[in-house]
Amino acid sequence: MTTKPGLAQPKPSASRARRERERQQMRARLLEAARDIAAEEGWNAVTIRRIAHKLEYTPPILYQYFSSKESLFVELMLVGFSELTARLEAAAEAPAPQRLAAMAEAYWAFAFASPELYQAMNGMDGVPFGTAETPPEAKTAFRTFRIALQSIAEARGAELGDPGGAVDTVWAFLHGCVSLAMAGRVKGGTERARALMLNGLEPLFAAQLSS
């Protein structure tokens, strides 16, 4: 039956709304269980069977929510980018002189507060970036970063010669610093790695500016 223009769409029944709410709650529980296992034992330990055991369900029930371990990982990756975006948006509210450091600090804080999510976000084979197929959650994070960098440049009376390239360059720098620190490959540990990141950030950003 075709609904006439101007008429309100029928609201879903209470039972249907409840079932959808319960489904979303169950998906959230599965994702949280996967994160807990990964935080304790690493992503190699995360399997549908292991998650089912942790939640005291049988694996077939979990497959009703995620068709595979890979689909669950993709969902976690999207959760990660959403959480990162929230931190970046808050950092972008910092005064212009402190905004660049605030963005870097937000990125670093997210990575070390949720290392299991950070690893999922950066270890997904086959997830495209910089293309039309890039997940919208990732696009939002990159866009938030680009707008912040552009605002910093404008506050300095300059502009980014290549805004997209500037985002890629600074993002790659931050990711490299975080990854090396997580792997314990920076002499002096994470605090020195963080200090080196902040010290190197300004000249790197300045190189992206054109008057």
Side-chain angles (χ1 to χ4, degrees):
M1 181 178 65
T2 302
T3 303
K4 293 182 179 180
L7 294 181
Q9 296 292 329
K11 294 182 179 180
S13 65
S15 60
R16 182 177 178 182
R18 185 185 68 254
R19 286 195 300 272
E20 179 59 26
R21 184 170 62 252
E22 291 172 347
R23 179 177 178 80
Q24 293 304 319
Q25 290 172 346
M26 183 60 178
R27 285 174 63 88
R29 288 187 63 198
L30 297 180
L31 295 172
E32 189 63 32
R35 290 178 65 172
D36 289 345
I37 295 170
E40 294 169 3
E41 304 175 50
W43 283 109
N44 288 336
V46 180
T47 64
I48 294 294
R49 183 175 296 278
R50 184 68 186 280
I51 296 171
H53 177 75
K54 183 176 180 65
L55 296 177
E56 299 182 345
Y57 285 99
T58 60
I61 292 178
L62 272 62
Y63 282 113
Q64 297 176 19
Y65 300 90
F66 294 101
S67 60
S68 65
K69 175 180 175 178
E70 288 70 28
S71 65
L72 184 145
F73 276 15
V74 169
E75 185 73 18
L76 280 168
M77 180 194 69
L78 302 183
V79 169
F81 273 108
S82 294
E83 292 188 9
L84 174 58
T85 297
R87 287 181 180 260
L88 294 176
E89 288 175 342
E93 297 298 321
Q98 290 84 45
R99 194 170 302 152
L100 182 62
M103 297 295 287
E105 292 272 27
Y107 186 99
W108 179 278
F110 166 77
F112 282 92
S114 303
E116 73 286 350
L117 274 185
Y118 188 81
Q119 291 162 9
M121 292 159 59
N122 293 284
M124 292 295 300
D125 293 335
V127 175
F129 291 96
T131 72
E133 288 73 36
T134 301
E137 290 82 356
K139 288 183 178 180
T140 300
F142 298 146
R143 182 169 60 252
T144 299
F145 210 82
R146 185 186 69 247
I147 292 172
L149 294 187
Q150 287 176 314
S151 70
I152 297 167
E154 290 170 1
R156 299 183 183 189
E159 61 182 23
L160 297 175
D162 176 4
V167 172
D168 289 341
T169 299
V170 177
W171 193 289
F173 173 71
L174 298 180
H175 174 58
C177 292
V178 166
S179 298
L180 289 173
M182 281 186 171
R185 296 181 179 178
V186 178
K187 182 179 179 180
T190 55
E191 280 306 309
R192 182 169 179 270
R194 174 177 163 275
L196 291 173
M197 175 191 72
L198 293 174
N199 290 339
L201 184 61
E202 176 58 37
L204 179 68
F205 178 72
Q208 313 304 312
L209 300 177
S210 61
S211 56

